[in-house]
C-alpha cells in the first residue's frame, strides 16, 4: 500500500503521511537510531506491541497522564529522568503516541533533551493529526495559561494512521473536526462545502470523505507553516501562521476557565463563533457568514454558545494569550470567507458585546 505524502517545506523539511495502516512505516524513519522513547498515555499502552513489532531499537516506554494533565513541568521532568536513566544520546529518538496533548509534550521533550533529538509524531486522535502533531509547535501548560512554555521543534515525520480513528469516541472526533472546519473558514472553503453536502459521511470514521477532509486540512496547515514556521510574518494584510489561531484566543480562555474539562475543539468552536460576531461588529463580514459558523459547527455537534457569562474572567485570561503584544489583544478574524485578517486592540465595549452575541442568536 502507498500513501501520498504532504510536504512541509520548513527549515527542516519533513512529510506528513495520512492513510490506513501508515504506522507500519515507522521502522523506515528510525534508521540509524539506537534507542527510541515512546511517550504515551495509559490508555494506549495496549498499542505498544503492535507499534514496536519489528523494531530493532531499544524501546523505552514512558507513560504520562492523559490529556492536559500530562502537559506539566513535573511530567516533563519525569520524562527527562527516564531518558537519562536509559542513556539516551543525541543519536536517539523520541516518539509521541497519543492525542494533541501527548504530542505537544513529547515534541517538547525531544526539543529540550540534549538541545534537540529526532522526534516522530504518531497521533491517534483527529485533533492531533490535523493540528497538534503538524507544524513544530511543542510545549506544556502553566497554571497561568495553556502552552506558555514551549519551543519550535519540527518532527522528523508525522504518521497519521486513520485506523486509530475507528475507535475514537464520538466527542473526540467532533473536537478534532473543529480544527478541520477551521481550515475551511480561514483558507479552504471547499472543506465547508464538502462537509455541508454530507455531514454524516464526513463524521464517519473510515469514510473516503473524512479522509479527504483530513488531507485538505493538513495541506492547509502545511502550506501555512511552510511559509511562516515561527509565526513572524503577520503584518498588515499579510497574515502568516497566526491565521491558524482562529477561534483560539477565547477558546484557550474557556479551556482554562473550565479547568481543561472542555475539549480543545469544543472551546475553539465557541471561539470561532465569537470571532465571527466580533468581525461583524467591526464591519468586516456580514450576518450570513456569522450564521454559517453557527450552522456548520452546530451540525458537527460542536457548541456555539457559552452560557457561563464570566466575561471579566475570560477577558483577563485572554490577556495572557501568546498573540498579545504587551497589553494589546490581537484577534484573528475574517474579512471574507477564506481571507483572514488581524484585529489589534479592539474596543473593550465591542469585545463584550460580541461575547453577549454568542447567546443572542
Amino acid at each position: 500500500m502507498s500513501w501520498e505524502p504532504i510536504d512541509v517545506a520548513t527549515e527542516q523539511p519533513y512529510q506528513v503521511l495520512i492513510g490506513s495502516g501508515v504506522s507500519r512505516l515507522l521502522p523506515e524513519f528510525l534508521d540509524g537510531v539506537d534507542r527510541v522513547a515512546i511517550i504515551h498515555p495509559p490508555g494506549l499502552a495496549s498499542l505498544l506491541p503492535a507499534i514496536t513489532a519489528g523494531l530493532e531499537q531499544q524501546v523505552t516506554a514512558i507513560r504520562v497522564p492523559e490529556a492536559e494533565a500530562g502537559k506539566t513541568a513535573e511530567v516533563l521532568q519525569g520524562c527527562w529522568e527516564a531518558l537519562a536513566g536509559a542513556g539516551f544520546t543525541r543519536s536517539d529518538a523520541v516518539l509521541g503516541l497519543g492525542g494533541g496533548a501527548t504530542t505537544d509534550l513529547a515534541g517538547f521533550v525531544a526539543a529540550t533533551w540534549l538541545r534537540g533529538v529526532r522526534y516522530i509524531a504518531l497521533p491517534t486522535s483527529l485533533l492531533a493529526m490535523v493540528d497538534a502533531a503538524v507544524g513544530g509547535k511543542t510545549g506544556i501548560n502553566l497554571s497561568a495559561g495553556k502552552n506558555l512554555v514551549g519551543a519550535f521543534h519540527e518532527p522528523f515525520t508525522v504518521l497519521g494512521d486513520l485506523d486509530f480513528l475507528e475507535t475514537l469516541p464520538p466527542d473526540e472526533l467532533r473536537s478534532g473536526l473543529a480544527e478541520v472546519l477551521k481550515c475551511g473558514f480561514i483558507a479552504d472553503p471547499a472543506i465547508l462545502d464538502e462537509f455541508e453536502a454530507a455531514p454524516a459521511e464526513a463524521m464517519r470514521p473510515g469514510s473516503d470523505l473524512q479522509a479527504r477532509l483530513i488531507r485538505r486540512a493538513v495541506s492547509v496547515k502545511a502550506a501555512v507553516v511552510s511559509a511562516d514556521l515561527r509565526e513572524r510574518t503577520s503584518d498588515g494584510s499579510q497574515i502568516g501562521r497566526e491565521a491558524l489561531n482562529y477561534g483560539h484566543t477565547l477558546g484557550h480562555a474557556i479551556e482554562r476557565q473550565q479547568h481543561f474539562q472542555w475539549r480543545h475543539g469544543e472551546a475553539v468552536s465557541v471561539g470561532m463563533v465569537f470571532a465571527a460576531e466580533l468581525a461583524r461588529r467591526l464591519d468586516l463580514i456580514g450576518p450570513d457568514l456569522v450564521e454559517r459558523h453557527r450552522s456548520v459547527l452546530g451540525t458537527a455537534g460542536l457548541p456555539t454558545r457559552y452560557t457561563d457569562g464570566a466575561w471579566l474572567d475570560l477577558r483577563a485570561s485572554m490577556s495572557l494569550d501568546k498573540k498579545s503584544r504587551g497589553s494589546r489583544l490581537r484577534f484573528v478574524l475574517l474579512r471574507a470567507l477564506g481571507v483572514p485578517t488581524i484585529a489589534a486592540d479592539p474596543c473593550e465595549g465591542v469585545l463584550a458585546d460580541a461575547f453577549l452575541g454568542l447567546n443572542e442568536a
Side-chain angles (χ1 to χ4, degrees):
M1 183 179 293
S2 62
W3 298 270
E4 183 177 351
I6 298 170
D7 293 317
V8 187
T10 48
E11 297 169 4
Q12 302 294 326
Y14 62 95
Q15 294 182 326
V16 181
L17 300 179
I18 302 290
S20 177
V22 75
S23 59
R24 295 196 295 271
L25 298 180
L26 176 60
E28 298 183 19
F29 297 97
L30 291 173
D31 185 49
V33 170
D34 294 324
R35 304 171 187 83
V36 57
I38 302 180
I39 296 176
H40 67 92
L44 297 182
S46 62
L47 296 179
L48 293 180
I51 296 297
T52 59
L55 293 186
E56 299 177 353
Q57 290 75 17
Q58 175 185 321
V59 176
T60 297
I62 303 176
R63 187 174 298 192
V64 298
E66 297 276 1
E68 299 296 330
K71 291 175 60 175
T72 69
E74 293 76 15
V75 173
L76 176 64
Q77 181 170 347
C79 292
W80 288 334
E81 297 290 354
L83 296 182
F88 270 63
T89 70
R90 293 199 66 182
S91 62
D92 298 323
V94 171
L95 186 149
L97 174 67
T102 302
T103 58
D104 280 353
L105 169 69
F108 194 42
V109 172
T112 52
W113 180 252
L114 300 178
R115 297 185 177 89
V117 298
R118 183 181 301 188
Y119 171 57
I120 296 172
L122 195 55
T124 60
S125 72
L126 177 55
L127 179 63
M129 284 184 194
V130 301
D131 185 37
V134 181
K137 279 187 177 182
T138 71
I140 60 171
N141 304 331
L142 299 179
S143 59
K146 188 173 179 180
N147 297 329
L148 292 181
V149 178
F152 289 97
H153 189 66
E154 297 158 82
F156 191 73
T157 193
V158 178
L159 302 176
D161 195 331
L162 298 178
D163 291 347
F164 291 137
L165 303 184
E166 296 283 351
T167 57
L168 199 66
D171 287 346
E172 288 293 340
L173 193 65
R174 283 192 286 269
S175 177
L177 193 57
E179 290 286 353
V180 174
L181 297 172
K182 178 199 74 178
C183 291
F185 284 115
I186 66 170
D188 184 2
I191 290 175
L192 304 180
D193 295 337
E194 291 199 49
F195 173 80
E196 289 170 319
E201 190 69 4
M203 292 187 283
R204 183 173 67 83
S207 72
D208 291 341
L209 176 56
Q210 185 176 98
R212 186 163 65 250
L213 294 180
I214 291 171
R215 291 189 181 95
R216 293 191 80 108
V218 172
S219 295
V220 167
K221 184 157 190 181
V224 171
V225 301
S226 293
D228 182 21
L229 174 66
R230 299 179 186 276
E231 203 169 287
R232 291 174 174 167
T233 62
S234 289
D235 182 25
S237 62
Q238 299 298 313
I239 309 302
R241 182 172 184 154
E242 199 169 0
L244 297 171
N245 291 317
Y246 188 58
H248 284 57
T249 302
L250 181 66
H252 282 167
I254 290 174
E255 285 184 278
R256 183 179 177 223
Q257 186 177 74
Q258 294 293 330
H259 306 289
F260 300 105
Q261 297 305 300
W262 272 41
R263 291 173 176 82
H264 176 70
E266 294 169 341
V268 168
S269 176
V270 176
M272 285 191 281
V273 178
F274 170 77
E277 290 283 0
L278 179 57
R280 184 175 69 83
R281 284 159 174 78
L282 295 176
D283 295 323
L284 296 173
I285 64 174
D288 288 349
L289 185 49
V290 178
E291 180 54 33
R292 194 174 188 190
H293 280 71
R294 294 184 184 277
S295 174
V296 169
L297 297 168
T299 298
L302 290 160
T304 58
R305 299 168 177 264
Y306 193 69
T307 57
D308 192 327
W311 169 246
L312 293 180
D313 288 341
L314 291 171
R315 175 62 184 84
S317 291
M318 285 193 291
S319 293
L320 292 171
D321 188 82
K322 299 184 298 301
K323 295 172 293 304
S324 298
R325 303 292 187 268
S327 61
R328 301 178 67 199
L329 284 183
R330 291 166 61 85
F331 287 90
V332 180
L333 304 179
L334 299 180
R335 50 191 175 91
L337 184 59
V339 185
T341 189
I342 299 294
D345 206 20
C347 170
E348 292 293 335
V350 175
L351 289 174
D353 189 57
F355 182 76
L356 290 175
L358 284 173
N359 296 316
E360 290 179 351

